[in-house]
Amino acid sequence: MSETHWTGRDGHGHKSGSIELRDIAGKPVLALSGVWSVPTAAALSRQIADLSLPSQGQVGIDLTQVSVMDTSGAWLIHGLMVDLKKNGAAPTLENLKEQHAPLMHLVEGAVANPDESIHSKSTSPLRLLEITGEATIAALSKGRELTNFVGMLTVSFLRAVKSPSRLRPISIVNQLELTGLRAIPIIGLLSFLIGVTLAYLMADQFRAYGLDVFTVNVLGIFVLREAGVLITAIVIAGRSGSAFTAEIGTMKVNEELDALRTLGLDPVEVLVLPRVLALVITLPFLAFWADLMGLLGGGMMTMLVLDMTPLQFVQQLKEAVNLKTFMVGLVKAPVHAYIIAVVGCFEGFKVQRSAESVGKQTTTSVVEAIFLVIVATAAFSVMFSVLGI
Amino acid sequence: MTEAAPPPGLTVEAKRSDEAVIRIRGLRTQFGPQIIHDNLDLDVTKGEVLGVVGGSGTGKSVLLRTIVGLQRPTAGSIELLGADVLSLTDQAKEALRTRTGVLFQDGALFSSLTVAENIQVPMREHTDLPQELMDELAELKIAMVGLPPDAAGKYPSELSGGMRKRAGLARALSLDPEIVFLDEPTAGLDPIGAAAFDQLILSLQKSLGLTVFMVTHDLDSLAAICDRIAALIDKKVRVATMAEHLRDDDPWLHEYFHGPRARAALDAKASRVSA
């Protein structure tokens, strides 16, 4: 089949349409010819704009030569007639082909008054004030909604405690696997590498002062108190928090949340509670795993750089850290987990019914979760310092 | 039934087969061990309204998706507007797509765009129309499919199911295609809206020589606007006019066209014709 056959409609692809103002027996006639369809519409509308339309008397619009017409062509012809009438002329369609008549009729019948509703957006400087106000109110109402959500979650948790049959163990185990088990490789690898980096940097610095062994002290304290749990929380916020938002959000788009409600199921209990509980259970384990891998990575690096034996490393570590150091780090894990899961699920519920919204809320969820996790870390540091831990 | 009668549809087809805008030969679609279509032949002639019917799981939608190139068949050939769909370059495929329009079951509107923007997507991609004309054409298509003018600025999530369908149709008709594929177009529309939709298809078809490939279960549509009906039976397709299908003694066809709902639709058609 030749190229030209299907690059245009009905084999008329390379033809074009035209419009010409003629004078036939003292009467102005607009002679239309050729293809009046989408491919030629842009050129035709320019031609029409360039015409100086008659402003009075009878005007004929001759359609004899029009070979192809679609709705855009019919629309242009209709617009031409409207313009002529506005000018004060009396246009008449001549020689409208039988097969084009229903289309002209359709266009004339369908036409609504072209209103400006689509393109009306104010751009005044007052708009800036308006945007600021809107953003403030949005932030405040979001805070209220989040509080409300935490309340609903608490209620449904207490209900589940009262009658444990509401706890949905299968869901929880499923989430334990997805959020915990499957995250082990990535968290292990990341912590190991961070341990390596830390040890290398510190060994370099401490050696200058002859304090080589302190590398182990700082490594142990930093990994156990802060780094292990923080890395875990950040990875999980990106990995599971985003998944929560996207899952719940997509369900909302598909009206699955409404379906749950009509079936007498509480979406918070069915979807949120298992996710929150699962994450609160897994995150401490993941943080523990991150601690181990961080120490392993750091330990290997110190031994390499500082020529320590494993025994020396362990002895030095034992002097530097104790159970409290470890517990101070780990106690933060469930709090981080709670923040990530609640924010993830909450943003999922906030999804509007569009694909774009799912993406937007997922981004928001990850950013918010990481932000809040770091705020919580700071709050813990202040608290521990005040309590003298 | 008599053995002397010609196979349904054959006479109609033989007469105008050279005008076929869709020509399928030996189509085989298979999902794992499950065979959906086997050695299926189908000709759709220019300017006709073809209704496709079949029980659940007989592959009506799969057939539609295969023809428009969303799904690759296991074997066979598909010619769409004279071009072999399965061996086209990407560029040629794109050009071909400007000449076909598809309405999906629930409209499949882009949820982040307004209705007017949805309709303008194909115009923006494939034409150089000025924005003003695109706005006007979008408003025209919106009016044509029976949506109120204020629907233009609304997002799909703000529309009812029936309105989304109409908006989807407006997008399918955006470039005035030669063939439109409609997947259950009237499902979800109220009877008045469905009848108006049928009339819209008919008037567009007259003006543009529009060919309509319509998967439907709306017996009113089948009776009112379909020139021929393709029934998917035994992994093949049986094409015939309504009258010929009515005489067919295939058990599924018999039940389909002689059930209580079919009788009502046919009675309605008969009374319209006699009126």
Side-chain angles (χ1 to χ4, degrees):
Chain A
M1 212 33 75
S2 76
E3 188 86 0
T4 50
H5 182 86
W6 45 267
T7 48
R9 327 177 39 85
D10 300 317
H12 294 278
H14 31 278
K15 286 193 187 167
S16 58
S18 70
I19 179 168
E20 210 180 313
L21 184 60
R22 291 189 193 139
D23 202 349
I24 297 172
K27 179 185 162 193
V29 171
L30 288 162
L32 277 50
S33 63
V35 178
W36 283 67
S37 67
V38 171
T40 60
L44 284 169
S45 73
R46 280 193 295 274
Q47 284 189 39
I48 292 173
D50 291 342
L51 278 179
S52 54
L53 296 175
S55 59
Q56 57 183 344
Q58 292 282 321
V59 180
I61 299 178
D62 186 6
L63 303 175
T64 319
Q65 299 294 319
V66 174
S67 54
V68 177
M69 190 200 286
D70 70 3
T71 44
S72 59
W75 172 256
L76 286 174
I77 295 168
H78 175 78
L80 191 62
M81 290 180 68
V82 171
D83 286 349
L84 283 167
K85 277 181 200 154
K86 237 186 256 167
N87 275 4
T92 47
L93 286 183
E94 289 165 11
N95 302 321
L96 177 61
K97 285 198 181 112
E98 198 186 331
Q99 73 263 33
H100 298 155
L103 190 63
M104 275 312 296
H105 190 68
L106 183 77
V107 168
E108 278 159 15
V111 168
N113 39 343
D115 60 299
E116 304 298 309
S117 59
I118 311 174
H119 10 245
S120 63
K121 252 180 195 153
S122 91
T123 47
S124 75
L126 266 181
R127 176 87 186 121
L128 193 67
L129 195 65
E130 203 181 318
I131 292 171
T132 316
E134 274 169 7
T136 313
I137 290 172
L140 288 175
S141 71
K142 189 170 193 178
R144 205 183 70 176
E145 280 169 40
L146 188 57
T147 315
N148 192 5
F149 186 76
V150 170
M152 287 189 332
L153 180 63
T154 313
V155 168
S156 105
F157 176 68
L158 292 178
R159 234 186 291 156
V161 169
K162 228 164 80 183
S163 56
S165 63
R166 289 170 172 270
L167 266 177
R168 293 167 207 282
I170 294 173
S171 266
I172 295 180
V173 170
N174 184 28
Q175 289 298 329
L176 283 177
E177 190 199 334
L178 289 175
T179 60
L181 216 52
R182 301 257 175 105
I184 285 179
I186 183 69
I187 285 177
L189 181 65
L190 276 178
S191 309
F192 182 85
L193 291 177
I194 297 230
V196 166
T197 316
L198 270 176
Y200 186 76
L201 277 175
M202 289 188 299
D204 245 16
Q205 295 295 318
F206 283 130
R207 197 160 30 192
Y209 301 97
L211 299 168
D212 303 21
V213 286
F214 275 112
T215 305
V216 180
N217 296 38
V218 179
L219 177 81
I221 291 170
F222 186 66
V223 166
L224 292 185
R225 270 188 83 127
E226 306 290 345
V229 66
L230 191 62
I231 292 163
T232 311
I234 289 174
V235 171
I236 290 299
R239 204 181 163 277
S240 303
S242 61
F244 292 173
T245 312
E247 282 163 9
I248 294 177
T250 311
M251 288 182 78
K252 177 142 184 213
V253 173
N254 288 339
E255 293 183 306
E256 287 170 55
L257 297 185
D258 295 339
L260 279 176
R261 286 194 189 99
T262 57
L263 293 171
L265 297 165
D266 175 12
V268 173
E269 185 188 305
V270 178
L271 300 171
V272 182
L273 199 56
R275 285 176 167 78
V276 174
L277 287 178
L279 210 56
V280 168
I281 295 169
T282 50
L283 206 69
F285 285 105
L286 288 173
F288 176 62
W289 169 242
D291 285 352
L292 282 184
M293 292 304 282
L295 286 181
L296 183 66
M300 279 173 70
M301 202 63 201
T302 9
M303 287 183 257
L304 268 176
V305 180
L306 301 177
D307 281 333
M308 285 177 124
T309 63
L311 192 65
Q312 281 174 314
F313 175 78
V314 171
Q315 272 173 350
Q316 185 64 30
L317 190 66
K318 223 174 133 191
E319 267 175 45
V321 303
N322 51 28
L323 187 65
K324 202 175 74 183
T325 323
F326 171 69
M327 288 314 290
V328 159
L330 220 55
V331 79
K332 292 186 267 189
V335 178
H336 291 343
Y338 184 78
I339 291 172
I340 294 167
V342 167
V343 169
C345 296
F346 171 70
E347 292 297 337
F349 276 92
K350 293 217 17 148
V351 164
Q352 307 291 312
R353 288 193 57 193
S354 79
E356 189 192 21
S357 173
V358 177
K360 210 177 102 192
Q361 298 302 335
T362 307
T363 310
T364 314
S365 141
V366 175
V367 172
E368 258 171 24
I370 292 178
F371 171 75
L372 289 175
V373 159
I374 292 175
V375 168
T377 302
F380 270 115
S381 300
V382 172
M383 191 178 86
F384 289 146
S385 145
V386 168
L387 295 177
I389 297 172
Chain B
M1 292 297 285
T2 65
E3 294 95 295
L10 197 67
T11 48
V12 188
E13 234 166 71
K15 203 167 64 194
R16 339 180 243 179
S17 64
D18 53 340
E19 292 174 51
V21 286
I22 303 174
R23 191 194 305 260
I24 301 174
R25 290 291 176 268
L27 181 75
R28 182 184 172 90
T29 316
Q30 200 170 350
F31 296 124
Q34 194 190 0
I35 297 168
I36 312 285
H37 306 129
D38 193 17
N39 206 14
L40 180 151
D41 293 346
L42 175 66
D43 279 327
V44 183
T45 51
K46 189 173 160 60
E48 81 169 329
V49 181
L50 181 79
V52 179
V53 299
S56 308
T58 51
K60 304 180 294 288
S61 295
V62 173
L63 181 62
L64 189 153
R65 291 171 61 85
T66 308
I67 298 173
V68 298
L70 292 174
Q71 201 138 19
R72 222 182 153 76
T74 317
S77 75
I78 300 171
E79 255 181 41
L80 189 56
L81 294 162
D84 182 359
V85 187
L86 301 177
S87 63
L88 283 181
T89 63
D90 286 348
Q91 204 187 357
K93 223 179 256 174
E94 202 175 287
L96 192 60
R97 290 214 164 131
T98 67
R99 299 169 66 197
T100 58
V102 185
L103 168 63
F104 291 94
Q105 256 181 37
D106 195 34
L109 294 168
F110 304 120
S111 50
S112 56
L113 304 178
T114 64
V115 170
E117 285 165 346
N118 261 289
I119 298 170
Q120 289 169 3
V121 166
M123 300 184 196
R124 227 177 274 282
E125 291 304 312
H126 298 294
T127 72
D128 56 350
L129 296 176
Q131 182 64 44
E132 199 186 336
L133 189 56
M134 283 203 285
D135 285 345
E136 288 172 5
L137 285 175
E139 275 174 32
L140 174 66
K141 308 276 166 172
I142 285 166
M144 266 168 43
V145 296
L147 287 173
D150 65 349
K154 285 191 179 157
Y155 287 90
S157 54
E158 299 169 308
L159 300 178
S160 70
M163 285 167 89
R164 272 206 297 282
K165 206 155 238 183
R166 285 168 189 231
L169 177 67
R171 187 180 65 188
L173 295 174
S174 172
L175 292 177
D176 281 80
E178 289 162 64
I179 308 178
V180 281
F181 295 88
L182 311 173
D183 198 354
E184 305 257 7
T186 49
L189 296 185
D190 62 273
I192 300 169
F197 172 83
D198 289 345
Q199 290 314 308
L200 171 69
I201 292 297
L202 273 183
S203 65
L204 280 170
Q205 184 209 6
K206 269 187 199 132
S207 169
L208 290 171
L210 196 65
T211 309
V212 181
F213 182 99
M214 177 162 79
V215 173
T216 188
H217 275 301
D218 185 339
L219 284 154
D220 286 314
S221 283
L222 283 175
I225 66 168
C226 291
D227 298 316
R228 291 192 303 159
I229 294 165
L232 280 160
I233 295 168
D234 298 336
K235 305 180 176 67
K236 289 189 177 47
V237 77
R238 204 177 289 195
V239 188
T241 63
M242 187 90 160
E244 286 165 329
H245 275 311
L246 284 169
R247 290 197 298 273
D248 203 307
D249 58 355
D250 178 89
W252 187 83
L253 276 176
H254 189 82
E255 189 162 351
Y256 191 87
F257 286 110
H258 294 272
R261 307 190 62 159
R263 268 202 302 276
L266 292 172
D267 287 349
K269 192 192 185 186
S271 64
R272 268 201 303 273
V273 170
S274 63

